[in-house]
Amino acid sequence: MSTPVISSREADVLALLGEHLSNAEIAAQLFISVRTVESHVSSLLRKLAVPDRRALSRRAAEFAPVQMAAPVLPAPLTAFVGRVRERGELAEALKKHRQVTAVGPGGVGKTRLALAVAAELAGEFADGVWFVDLAPVTDPGRIGDAVAAALGVGEQPGRGIDDSVFAVLADRQALLVWDNCEQIRDGVAPFLERLLAACPGVRVLVTSRARLMVPFERVFPVPPLSRDGGGESEAVELFLERAAAVGLSWDESVRDTVVALCERLDGMALAIELAAARCPTLGLDGLVAGLSDQLRILAGGPRAADRHRSVRAVLDWSHDLLEPADRALLRRVSVFVAPFTAEAAAELAGFASLDPGAVADGLAGLAEQSLLTVTPSAAGTRYRALETIRQYGAERLDEAGETEAVRSRHVEWCLDRAAGLLDAGGADWRARFDAVAEDLRAALAWAAEQPGLRADAHRLALSLAESAFTRNLPGESQQRYEQAAALAGADAEAGESLRLAAAVAGCRRLGDDMFRLHRAAAEAARRAGDLAGTGRDLAAAATVAYRFSSEFTRIPAVEEVMALLEEARKLSGAGAPDPSAADPAVADPSAAVADPSDPAADPADPSADPPDPSASAAVALAEAAVLADAFGAVQGATDNTVEETIALAERAVALAHRAGDPVAESAALDALSGARSWAGDSFAAAAAARRRIDLLTPLPPTPARTHELLDALAMASGTALGAGGLAEARRWGRQLAGHPLLAEVGHHATSWLLVADAFAGRIGEVLTGSGRFLDAWERGGRQQSFSLGPAAASVAMVHGLRGDRAARAEWLGIVDCAGTSEEYRHGYGAILDAMVLLHDGDAAEALDRLAPEPEQVWKWVTWIWLHWYVALRAEASALAGHPDARARTAAARSLVAGNPVATAHVDRADALLDGDLPRLLATAKAFEAAGSRYQSARTLLLAGGEHAAAGAAVLAELGLGR
């Protein structure tokens, strides 16, 4: 049987699978994304025909070890000739300086020299050599995106793609090769300065036609190929090697002619290669004669002193030798930025004097003459012009007066491709997007500057925004939606684009942008004469300020938000809320959550409702957020009553349901979930969170729905945990961890799954998941969030149960940064610390950790922690012999009724107080049934005797044996 063919990167992944590393650990070591690792693993499973990762690990030994940091560089199709001196000098410059710019005219050979030197130095960079082609990039603001794409870096919520790149490279030893920087020098210089400051182990080799003009730059002029040595020179060697590649060979008698030819071409590598490609049809004499004529024409012009004249001369001469149809084809396909197919070329260039049916033959002819390069791909043969030739073609296009016609056709082609992307999915969707994305961006940049194409530019911006979001490029998606708003022909269209941009900003956890964009949407609605819409958008801004307050860099002042809410009320026709006027049926959470279609869930007096249902619902939600602080905002007030909060949240749910907007209803249910948690009703809070997922799951994956769903999954997991539904908490946590938009942000993706696994005693899963969490958290800038602190504390708890004090201390240090001290001290931290202390048999200290009455720490133990707090406090009281132990267990029992895990804790406490062994053993079964094997095993330990041995065996199986 033949050996399967696997790529070098797949071999790297396979070798690390053999070391039993997780996908996150492999991604970190190979400096690629977790999503890319998953793709390689899937490919390996298919190629090696094995069922699972374990089988892959066993097969790893059959393959030779691979270099960990293999150069990620393009593979040249032809041999590199000469440049011995320049290679050595450039390599030395890179060893001494962190940033070197290889400068020279187009066609001198900068890229080939840079690639050759980078390949030679690859072994000196532990994290590899990475190539970034900036030729397709026309927007200076998208340099970070190009670098991220080359590195396989995804965007981090709460930060732009530039900062994500810096975070990933911060502790890396890598060489980056940035090719073709001249057209975006204004963007390269500041980005490069920030990169080098943030990433001390990174060096950057830039190729450009002009220096970057930055103080830290080391300029390396790339000269033409040497003509020293006559017939043995580097220039002659290159010509003869390329001529031999097309089947020509000469005796020594032609060397003098070749020497003269190379002198005329000034040793310019591209010019020599183009001339060599003409040899089969023209011969040496024809080459010399044709080039001599061109040089005479150019001799008196302003290019005579420009070393670049040799390339232009050869291009002019090659162009003039083409048939008219081939000239038209070359200049027209120059508008393509990315590799293109023959079909695309026919669609774009096949008009007027050029027959579409002749395009395929024309492309082949241009490729034979080295004017185009051929790139095989899974989708078929693609063609591409080198950047120098593409720019030359663009000049010819302009001279022919065809720029507007061809670029307009390019815009039409891009609109068609963009629409096709949105209409068709499939496993190859990402590849199809990547194949046309740069052309879409280039077409949009040109069309946006043409007054007559504003409508087309608007459509293209919207299509690109939607496709970019689907492609998990939320930073670009937000940018394109904002661009679409600026290009919109009507204020109403602009407002809709701004709302979409705000939703994408929400997915990126950028509270400031959400706030700004909702306010901008309000202004667009005001200009359009839509007062109700203005009120709706102002209310949305007010809600965002409180609902996502932890995601702001500048938290909006209370006065500012109150002013927005007041204006929203006036514009939408809503007065101050009167929660007491609501139908009593709405006060029943089952009416508002379990069956919102019941007419009784609407306000009692429909005639009092504002005329616009969506505006009314938005204002109601803002009132629940701002006036009653249903979301527990950073700047929220503390003097509202729980009853008022619940009433306002229920009103928001009812009005959103009446408006027929599931996304708005989900947001209102989030407020109700929060309100119910403040009331200590963990089950109603969990029910509201579950209802959100039911509402959102059937909807198409728009930015607003996606943002809402990510939040809903997190809340469903957390509230299920609070109600003792460990299996549910894990199910929602797994869905959140597997969401494509969070593939690059493992800390946010896995946070709730880590908490659920820790409470369930799934030690192995926590230890595995903690690696992905920590790696992503550090790369993401060590962010602080209400969910990250509990996740880190849960990992610390697991290490405490394992007796690993050093690891526990390390993770508690992470808690200090990822969470807030008050929440840890009085809330989840008290619970998790107590679990470790009880495990160690230190009941008195555990009780001290849980000493405050629940009412004293209400702010921190409500929401999902209340049942755990009172149940563990009762158990610690029983084990420590506290005089109020029975009273505490009785109080806890009534509160946690319906929570299987917390009830088992209370039952265990009672059994311990009564010395009732059968009842104690019954709690072991209750814990097992509830999905908590750890607590089941610990119960057996407390039972003693033969039961203790069985419990110890289970703990050892869980990874807790000591």
Side-chain angles (χ1 to χ4, degrees):
M1 185 173 65
S2 62
T3 302
V5 176
I6 65 174
S7 69
S8 61
R9 181 56 82 194
E10 287 171 345
D12 291 347
V13 172
L14 184 58
L16 295 177
L17 287 170
E19 297 177 23
H20 306 288
L21 299 188
S22 68
N23 284 357
E25 291 168 331
I26 294 172
Q29 289 211 30
L30 296 185
F31 200 39
I32 55 180
S33 68
V34 174
R35 186 168 59 243
T36 302
V37 175
E38 292 168 350
S39 175
H40 288 316
V41 171
S42 298
S43 176
L44 287 166
L45 289 170
R46 183 180 68 255
K47 289 183 178 181
L48 300 183
V50 294
D52 53 33
R53 291 173 67 95
R54 289 186 179 181
L56 281 179
S57 298
R58 291 192 293 270
R59 292 294 300 273
E62 302 173 19
F63 293 83
V66 296
Q67 285 262 321
M68 284 300 303
V72 183
L73 298 172
L77 300 178
T78 56
F80 186 78
V81 175
R83 300 283 195 190
V84 175
R85 179 182 61 81
E86 290 93 333
R87 287 164 72 171
E89 291 178 353
L90 182 54
E92 284 301 312
L94 278 168
K95 292 176 183 178
K96 295 178 181 178
H97 305 280
R98 293 190 57 208
Q99 193 273 308
V100 178
T101 304
V103 175
V108 76
K110 301 183 296 294
T111 299
R112 290 298 300 270
L113 175 61
L115 289 174
V117 171
E120 291 174 2
L121 295 178
E124 300 187 21
F125 293 91
D127 294 300
V129 181
W130 305 82
F131 181 80
V132 184
D133 183 8
L134 293 175
V137 181
T138 56
D139 181 355
R142 294 195 55 78
I143 294 168
D145 298 80
V147 177
L151 298 175
V153 172
E155 186 177 327
Q156 299 279 349
R159 57 172 58 208
I161 193 68
D162 293 6
D163 290 331
S164 297
V165 169
F166 302 153
V168 168
L169 291 175
D171 58 352
R172 301 291 176 174
Q173 302 291 323
L175 172 63
L176 308 184
V177 180
W178 293 2
D179 196 33
N180 293 303
C181 294
E182 57 273 351
Q183 82 283 4
I184 47 171
R185 280 194 306 160
D186 292 344
V188 168
F191 182 90
L192 186 56
E193 185 167 6
R194 294 172 60 204
L195 172 69
L196 294 176
C199 311
V202 171
R203 293 175 184 255
V204 182
L205 172 56
V206 167
T207 74
S208 176
R209 297 187 184 188
R211 61 173 297 183
L212 302 179
M213 303 296 290
V214 290
F216 50 82
E217 176 183 35
R218 177 72 174 190
V219 177
F220 183 88
V222 179
L225 286 167
S226 172
R227 279 93 71 205
D228 295 342
E232 305 299 324
S233 70
E234 292 178 346
V236 170
E237 181 184 359
L238 176 64
F239 181 91
L240 293 177
E241 196 279 335
R242 297 297 189 260
V246 294
L248 300 179
S249 61
W250 291 296
D251 55 33
E252 290 297 317
S253 63
V254 303
R255 280 196 177 260
D256 289 343
T257 305
V258 175
V259 168
L261 181 64
C262 290
E263 283 290 344
R264 290 180 182 277
L265 298 177
D266 288 332
M268 297 294 283
L270 178 60
I272 291 171
E273 292 186 336
L274 290 172
R278 282 290 186 177
C279 269
T281 54
L282 296 177
L284 278 175
D285 293 343
L287 285 174
V288 173
L291 189 55
S292 296
D293 288 343
Q294 282 287 8
L295 288 176
R296 280 197 298 273
I297 293 172
L298 294 172
R303 301 174 188 158
D306 182 3
R307 189 170 61 192
H308 192 229
R309 70 188 186 279
S310 56
V311 175
R312 182 175 296 278
V314 173
L315 288 173
D316 285 341
W317 163 67
S318 295
H319 177 268
D320 291 344
L321 290 174
L322 296 175
E323 295 296 325
D326 290 335
R327 295 179 193 173
L329 179 59
L330 180 64
R331 65 177 178 262
R332 291 174 184 178
V333 298
S334 69
V335 301
F336 283 114
V337 179
F340 55 89
T341 64
E343 292 77 10
E347 195 172 335
L348 185 71
F351 67 94
S353 60
L354 184 56
D355 181 5
V359 167
D361 286 341
L363 293 173
L366 293 174
E368 289 172 0
Q369 298 169 56
S370 296
L371 292 169
L372 295 178
T373 59
V374 180
T375 306
S377 73
T381 301
R382 291 181 179 271
Y383 298 87
R384 186 176 192 175
L386 294 175
E387 185 62 16
T388 299
I389 295 175
R390 198 172 74 83
Q391 292 180 12
Y392 177 85
E395 292 179 7
R396 286 292 187 171
L397 190 69
D398 194 50
E399 291 172 4
E402 294 181 341
T403 297
E404 184 174 353
V406 175
R407 288 202 174 275
S408 295
R409 291 173 72 93
H410 185 233
V411 170
E412 293 176 6
W413 181 85
C414 287
L415 282 168
D416 182 63
R417 293 306 176 276
L421 284 172
L422 298 175
D423 293 341
D428 63 340
W429 188 92
R430 291 174 182 270
R432 288 187 286 111
F433 172 83
D434 292 343
V436 299
E438 290 297 349
D439 276 293
L440 300 184
R441 292 162 183 149
L444 174 57
W446 182 80
E449 299 298 322
Q450 312 303 312
L453 294 179
R454 191 179 182 88
D456 286 341
H458 175 250
R459 289 170 51 209
L460 193 52
L462 283 176
S463 295
L464 188 51
E466 186 174 348
S467 294
F469 185 78
T470 304
R471 181 62 178 84
N472 289 340
L473 299 173
E476 179 174 10
S477 179
Q478 180 183 333
Q479 173 195 357
R480 300 307 178 188
Y481 277 127
E482 293 193 52
Q483 186 177 16
L487 291 167
D491 289 318
E493 292 178 338
E496 181 57 30
S497 295
L498 289 166
R499 291 180 203 105
L500 289 165
V504 179
C507 294
R508 301 176 67 202
R509 303 177 70 89
L510 298 176
D512 303 80
D513 278 6
M514 291 182 71
F515 188 66
R516 169 181 61 84
L517 289 164
H518 278 302
R519 296 190 69 172
E523 291 308 307
R526 195 192 303 272
R527 292 193 302 270
D530 180 5
L531 296 184
T534 304
R536 178 194 60 224
D537 291 322
L538 290 174
T543 299
V544 163
Y546 273 62
R547 186 183 180 194
F548 301 107
S549 59
S550 65
E551 297 175 8
F552 279 74
T553 56
R554 184 197 71 84
I555 299 174
V558 174
E559 296 77 13
E560 179 183 8
V561 179
M562 286 296 296
L564 293 178
L565 176 56
E566 186 59 33
E567 186 177 4
R569 282 172 168 170
K570 293 176 181 177
L571 292 172
S572 63
D578 181 10
S580 62
D583 191 297
V586 182
D588 179 1
S590 63
V593 177
D595 187 16
S597 61
D598 189 339
D602 282 345
D605 184 9
S607 64
D609 290 338
D612 185 286
S614 64
S616 174
V619 170
L621 179 58
E623 290 168 343
V626 179
L627 302 181
D629 192 26
F631 299 109
V634 174
Q635 71 273 41
T638 58
D639 56 355
N640 57 291
T641 67
V642 169
E643 292 76 13
E644 289 173 344
T645 306
I646 292 174
L648 288 173
E650 287 173 339
R651 179 172 180 267
V653 172
L655 290 173
H657 178 71
R658 182 174 181 176
D661 185 344
V663 173
E665 189 173 349
S666 170
L669 284 166
D670 191 28
L672 181 59
S673 182
R676 287 297 183 185
S677 74
W678 302 137
D681 191 345
S682 300
F683 303 108
R690 287 195 304 271
R691 175 61 184 158
R692 294 177 66 193
I693 296 177
D694 292 339
L695 283 170
L696 296 168
T697 298
L699 303 180
T702 63
R705 178 265 191 184
T706 300
H707 180 217
E708 199 64 37
L709 180 62
L710 291 174
D711 184 77
L713 288 171
M715 295 304 98
S717 182
T719 54
L721 180 70
L726 296 180
E728 257 195 320
R730 294 191 72 249
R731 180 167 75 253
W732 303 131
R734 281 197 303 270
Q735 287 191 30
L736 183 67
H739 195 284
L741 200 64
L742 301 182
E744 303 291 345
V745 285
H747 49 321
H748 290 291
T750 63
S751 57
W752 285 113
L753 184 58
L754 283 172
V755 176
D757 279 339
F759 274 81
R762 294 176 174 270
I763 308 305
E765 286 87 340
V766 173
L767 296 178
T768 299
S770 65
R772 180 183 176 191
F773 176 95
L774 181 57
D775 177 67
W777 179 70
E778 289 180 337
R779 292 188 180 195
R782 301 168 69 87
Q783 295 170 323
Q784 186 180 81
S785 168
F786 76 94
S787 63
L788 299 181
S794 296
V795 178
M797 181 199 75
V798 165
H799 285 298
L801 298 180
R802 296 174 68 238
D804 189 339
R805 294 188 177 184
R808 175 169 169 76
E810 178 184 351
W811 277 91
L812 288 177
I814 294 169
V815 175
D816 289 340
C817 298
T820 63
S821 59
E822 289 297 300
E823 285 179 317
Y824 177 78
R825 178 177 174 80
H826 300 300
Y828 61 83
I831 295 164
L832 294 166
D833 289 350
M835 284 189 178
V836 175
L837 292 167
L838 290 172
H839 179 84
D840 291 340
D842 197 342
E845 192 169 345
L847 183 57
D848 185 62
R849 192 72 178 86
L850 299 165
E853 295 291 336
E855 293 79 6
Q856 293 178 285
V857 290
W858 197 256
K859 179 178 179 181
W860 298 280
V861 300
T862 51
W863 188 41
I864 70 171
W865 309 116
L866 180 60
H867 287 189
W868 296 96
Y869 187 89
V870 298
L872 284 169
R873 188 168 183 265
E875 182 176 327
S877 298
L879 287 168
H882 194 278
D884 294 334
R886 289 192 182 278
R888 289 179 177 181
T889 57
R893 183 175 303 283
S894 62
L895 182 62
V896 305
N899 181 325
V901 186
T903 297
H905 275 286
V906 176
D907 287 343
R908 186 165 67 188
D910 271 341
L912 290 168
L913 285 171
D914 295 337
D916 188 339
L917 181 61
R919 189 178 177 192
L920 184 62
L921 294 176
T923 65
K925 294 181 179 178
F927 278 122
E928 186 82 31
S932 181
R933 289 193 70 202
Y934 162 68
Q935 292 294 351
S936 177
R938 184 169 168 270
T939 304
L940 296 177
L941 285 180
L942 292 170
E946 60 182 301
H947 305 296
V954 174
L955 290 178
E957 182 183 339
L958 292 174
L960 297 178
R962 296 193 180 183

